[in-house]
Amino acid sequence: MGRRKKSGTLVIVESPAKAKTIAKFLGRGYKVEASMGHVIDLPKSKLGIDIENNFEPKYITIRGKGKVLKNLRKAVKKSEDVLLATDPDREGEAISWHLYRALKLDKEDARIEFNEITKTAIKNALKNPRPINQNLVDAQQARRLLDRLVGYRLSPLLWKKIRKGLSAGRVQTVAVKIICEREKEIEAFEPEEYWTIKVILEKDSNDFEAELKRINGKKFKISNQEEANNILEEVKKEDFIVEQVKDRKRRRNPNSPFTTSTLQQRAASQLGYSAKKTMYLAQQLYEGIDIGEEGTVGLISYIRTDSTRISDEARGEALNYIRNEFGDKYVSSKDKKYKKQEGAQDAHEAIRPTSVVHTPESLKNKLTNDQYKLYDLIWRRFVASFMSPAVYRLLTVTINAGEKYRFNVSGSQIVFPGFLRVDSSSQKKDVILPEMQKGEKLAPKEFLPEQHFTQPPPRFSEASLVKTLEEEGIGRPSTYAPTISTVISRGYVERDGRQLKPTELGIIVTDLLSEHFPDVTDIEFTAQMEDRLDNVEEGNDQWKEVLVDFYEPFAKRLEIAAEEMDSVQLEEEVTDEVCEKCGKPMIVKYGRYGKFLACSGYPDCKNTKPFLIKTGVSCPECEDGELIQRKSRKGRVFYGCSNYPDCEYVLWNKPVDKECPDCEGIMVEKRSKSKGLVYKCVNKECGFEEKVADI
């Protein structure tokens, strides 16, 4: 029997979606298969690291991936050539390395990489195969083993000292500490009263508002109503005379293209997307979407990057598009190449559309609503980054009330929109002032003293936490979303609207770990560890030396903590829910996906049910139900009646236990930078609104 004839080239990627897109570009002579992510990893059931043998990892085939490997081996035998086309980062390089060894490949240049899944990028990658980059692999191994050592050594200690089922992580622990420290700042904050004084002035039948800024030429603080009233008595006796008019132009430059971090921040603040949701949608756009005649196309470049660099080709395409659509005056006069930023690894370009010709509007019917919104964000940010600055006319007027008091008012008006033609998401409304001349007398119509209180620092949102992690050098682009998801699912942090709040469990665990493992929870130490991992990637450090330097002091602290760490008995949180099976009260438990309710009669009764957050607000529709916090299938929080499905009343904003004074309707929380925190009536016909606090 003769040997089976080999034919064609086998290309191995991670996901079926990516495989489908690439196969379309390659055509005959190529077969594309997916590894379904990692196929080789450390075992889940044990540490999997031979510490005594220089931290040698004990890799195994992941459970359930044996069949995948078997099929890949068969495909290898049938192919003349094999190319590994996993993602262009540490994780992707490690997957290729494991596949290279598991499939017993002997070709040196078996690795190809590309920053976007387009025909041109794939064809270029095929022309430039390379060996596996061992430095990248070693950096991934160092991170993987560091995280395993922390998790598998600290978790049993937490089980023993606090309760079973707890876990710790190297980066996650620092993230929780950051959130806990902010909560302590908030609790320790003591608000201070202060007052502002504004005046409504009139000129040519136009009213505008000026604010007191100087007293006797100096900054000031009005601490109470008595002081405010004394100032008002004096101010009301004075004439309001224009002292100075400054009329100037100001240029506002566009932002640079998105990195992973800035994309997550903007998607959170503008679209309300979690970091996890943003990365999920971005992965779909990167791997390929069927857009009709062109078939399946990768719409954006690689999504895990901390660089704002843009290739010359993409830059040229953007400039041509701007020139053709808007004219030469909208093309930036500066040669914007968005070079590497300080601290960025710069392995990849910024996140950008693979072709500006694929405008958001042209794809609107081909994308889901969520995909469209994220792509629109990316496309507009990229194109705008190569456009001219917006030009504003700024009018700043200084108004004296006698010799002692100075008021200021500012107006702004767009003279030339520049990049705002494309990216107007942060555009402010024009504030147009009447023309005024020095020495001109103005008529005061109304005086507006207002009481304020200083506000504590806000809790972190996902956006602000990602920004802080990046600024502190904690984690890397690929770690932000899973870090946040993990600390929430473990019950250390919970969402309160868009804010992240530490739980009692999170505070207890953080305090204990900070006391006994200061390095593990130290921001600077964790950032230095990230720098060392970068050094391994660059070939300037040995990955096993990184492990040795970390583990030796860590192991000593483990021994001491096992003896000295106090045990903490967490009180079970008993609810007023009653088990419908045995009649005993339900208690709060923490599982992989967060809180749930379990019967206190366990193990005799194993009944569980979802944990529902009550608002204390009665349902206005059926009246005997209560509005409770729920989540949609896409993860969006909403508030629905406890009598669902019999009653389908829904609110998307958090209800407050307070009736509208005008119509007795339900009030909900609303937050904005301009208005702060307000309570607003849900009845559109009413529209009552009450400011609660500044943000």
Side-chain angles (χ1 to χ4, degrees), residues 198-202 207-210 443-448:
K198 297 177 182 178
V199 60
I200 303 294
L201 297 166
E202 184 181 28
D207 293 349
F208 58 94
E209 188 177 87
K445 289 184 66 177
E446 185 180 1
F447 293 91
L448 305 171

Side-chain angles (χ1 to χ4, degrees), residues 253-258 308 310 318-319 322 330 332 334 336-338 350 352 378-388 419 422-423:
N253 292 311
N255 291 311
S256 57
F258 282 125
T308 56
I310 294 294
L319 294 175
I322 296 162
Y330 281 91
S332 174
K334 293 184 178 179
K336 291 185 178 180
K337 292 190 178 179
Y338 291 108
R352 59 167 176 79
I378 294 167
W379 188 92
R380 292 184 185 282
R381 177 76 162 243
F382 170 69
V383 174
S385 68
F386 290 100
M387 294 180 71
S388 301
F419 75 92
V422 167
D423 186 9

Side-chain angles (χ1 to χ4, degrees), residues 303-448:
I303 60 176
R304 295 177 180 88
T305 177
D306 56 5
S307 172
T308 56
R309 177 175 60 82
I310 294 294
S311 69
D312 290 340
E313 293 80 7
R315 173 178 166 273
E317 188 185 15
L319 294 175
N320 287 334
Y321 178 87
I322 296 162
R323 210 170 271 118
N324 293 333
E325 287 291 319
F326 306 108
D328 289 340
K329 64 181 180 179
Y330 281 91
V331 177
S332 174
S333 59
K334 293 184 178 179
D335 186 22
K336 291 185 178 180
K337 292 190 178 179
Y338 291 108
K339 294 291 187 180
K340 174 181 176 181
Q341 293 181 326
E342 185 180 350
Q345 292 176 274
D346 205 43
H348 315 295
E349 292 182 59
I351 300 173
R352 59 167 176 79
T354 55
S355 173
V356 293
V357 175
H358 292 139
T359 63
E361 283 303 312
S362 70
L363 299 176
K364 193 165 187 177
N365 295 330
K366 308 298 181 184
L367 304 175
T368 66
N369 190 43
D370 287 341
Q371 289 171 344
Y372 167 76
K373 287 179 180 178
L374 190 68
Y375 181 74
D376 184 67
L377 211 62
I378 294 167
W379 188 92
R380 292 184 185 282
R381 177 76 162 243
F382 170 69
V383 174
S385 68
F386 290 100
M387 294 180 71
S388 301
V391 181
Y392 289 82
R393 181 196 179 199
L394 289 183
L395 192 66
T396 306
V397 183
T398 303
I399 302 162
N400 287 344
E403 295 182 359
K404 188 175 180 181
Y405 300 104
R406 176 178 292 177
F407 288 76
N408 278 14
V409 60
S410 296
S412 67
Q413 187 176 3
I414 293 179
V415 177
F416 174 66
F419 75 92
L420 294 173
R421 282 284 299 271
V422 167
D423 186 9
S424 60
S425 57
S426 56
Q427 181 178 339
K428 296 179 180 178
K429 289 183 179 180
D430 286 350
V431 179
I432 301 174
L433 297 177
E435 296 296 328
M436 288 175 268
Q437 303 294 326
K438 182 177 180 179
E440 187 174 357
K441 183 178 178 181
L442 301 171
K445 289 184 66 177
E446 185 180 1
F447 293 91
L448 305 171

Side-chain angles (χ1 to χ4, degrees), residues 492-507:
Y492 297 150
V493 173
E494 61 187 8
R495 285 192 178 95
D496 182 5
R498 289 192 180 184
Q499 298 179 325
L500 299 175
K501 178 183 178 182
T503 61
E504 179 190 9
L505 177 65
I507 293 170

Side-chain angles (χ1 to χ4, degrees), residues 200-225:
I200 303 294
L201 297 166
E202 184 181 28
K203 168 73 191 296
D204 298 335
S205 301
N206 293 311
D207 293 349
F208 58 94
E209 188 177 87
E211 183 174 351
L212 180 63
K213 290 294 185 181
R214 290 284 193 276
I215 298 178
N216 289 324
K218 297 178 181 179
K219 290 184 178 181
F220 61 92
K221 179 184 177 184
I222 305 174
S223 300
N224 52 57
Q225 187 172 9

Side-chain angles (χ1 to χ4, degrees), residues 544-572:
K544 289 190 176 180
E545 287 184 13
V546 174
L547 293 171
V548 170
D549 293 345
F550 171 81
Y551 189 73
E552 287 183 353
F554 177 67
K556 290 176 182 176
R557 288 198 173 274
L558 271 171
E559 292 179 9
I560 296 170
E563 296 294 327
E564 296 182 357
M565 184 185 284
D566 294 329
S567 295
V568 177
Q569 186 64 42
L570 287 175
E571 291 185 12
E572 288 186 335

